[in-house]
Amino acid sequence: MSETALWNMFREGDAEAFSSLYELYVDDMYRYGMKIISDKDILRDAIHDVFVKLFSAARLPAEVRSPKAYLFKSLRSQIYDNRRFREGGLPSTSIDNVPFNVEWRLSDDAACEHENRAETEERYRRALSVMTDRQKEAVYLHYTLGFSFEETASMMDMNIQSVRNLMSRALAKVRKLMSLAVFLNLFV
């Protein structure tokens, strides 16, 4: 069953559809949230809050093209709200200035494909270091999670062309340091 069909069933009051949406996205939401905030308690609370608000909403948005994008955008905002609440306000910090942390992943099998694991790791780390947190997030949302440019723009509160430009500049920096295909394979 498609995510849109599940969403529509949930909108009509089907609690099983709500449970299915939760099961479908909770793990990916957790992984995405860990890139925004390392505090697992704030993250778990944020995911919980997103689903509680969704379940208890008197009216759900009628037109949601991508429930996944809607949930991830809600999570991003909720993390910021929870973090701001726990840290006593954060008056001058914008969600756009929150660090976005990506990990290094190179399995032993993949290491055989690369001539020199240490060299590949160093190039990857340099590529990450030249990217801004916004660039990392845009690349992660589009290439790792598979969101469209439109969905990525909506989630990041940017216009579509700005997201395209942001990613283009990021990937140009990466290409100077290493193969884009290798980089995207390691970017998790």
Side-chain angles (χ1 to χ4, degrees), residues 66-117:
S66 171
K68 181 179 178 182
Y70 178 83
L71 291 170
F72 277 62
K73 182 175 183 173
S74 298
L75 176 62
R76 185 177 192 262
S77 297
Q78 192 64 53
I79 289 169
Y80 177 68
D81 290 346
N82 289 8
R83 182 173 174 245
R84 185 177 51 208
F85 175 77
R86 288 222 180 140
E87 295 178 6
L90 295 174
S92 63
T93 303
S94 160
I95 194 166
D96 298 332
N97 296 327
V98 174
F100 192 80
N101 303 304
V102 289
E103 302 162 4
W104 164 256
R105 178 194 72 189
L106 185 62
S107 68
D108 291 333
D109 293 342
C112 296
E113 297 172 15
H114 304 287
E115 302 93 32
N116 183 335
R117 181 185 177 110

Side-chain angles (χ1 to χ4, degrees), residues 138-178:
V139 170
Y140 181 80
L141 290 170
H142 184 71
Y143 288 101
T144 304
L145 295 178
F147 287 111
S148 68
F149 285 108
E150 294 80 8
E151 291 166 334
T152 301
S154 173
M155 291 175 63
M156 296 182 72
D157 294 320
M158 298 174 70
N159 69 51
I160 297 166
Q161 189 57 50
S162 295
V163 167
R164 289 180 186 275
N165 293 344
L166 185 72
M167 283 198 280
S168 176
R169 286 190 298 273
L171 298 178
K173 292 175 185 179
V174 169
R175 281 188 198 101
K176 289 179 181 178
L177 298 170
M178 68 187 305

Side-chain angles (χ1 to χ4, degrees), residues 31 34-38 99-103 133 136 188:
R31 279 189 289 281
M34 285 301 296
K35 295 182 183 333
I36 297 171
I37 190 162
S38 60
F100 192 80
N101 303 304
V102 289
E103 302 162 4
D133 289 324
K136 292 174 195 173
V188 294

Side-chain angles (χ1 to χ4, degrees), residues 1-65:
M1 183 174 303
S2 76
E3 67 174 334
T4 306
L6 281 172
W7 179 264
N8 290 333
M9 289 169 60
F10 167 60
R11 283 189 63 244
E12 294 169 6
D14 186 335
E16 295 272 332
F18 175 79
S19 294
S20 295
L21 284 169
Y22 176 85
E23 291 299 324
L24 186 60
Y25 295 120
V26 71
D27 292 337
D28 285 342
M29 289 173 72
Y30 186 83
R31 279 189 289 281
Y32 172 62
M34 285 301 296
K35 295 182 183 333
I36 297 171
I37 190 162
S38 60
D39 186 320
K40 293 177 182 176
D41 291 332
I42 291 176
L43 175 56
R44 277 191 224 111
D45 287 347
I47 292 171
H48 176 264
D49 292 346
V50 165
F51 282 100
V52 166
K53 287 178 181 179
L54 187 62
F55 191 77
S56 60
R59 287 181 38 149
L60 294 170
E63 182 66 31
V64 173
R65 281 197 245 165

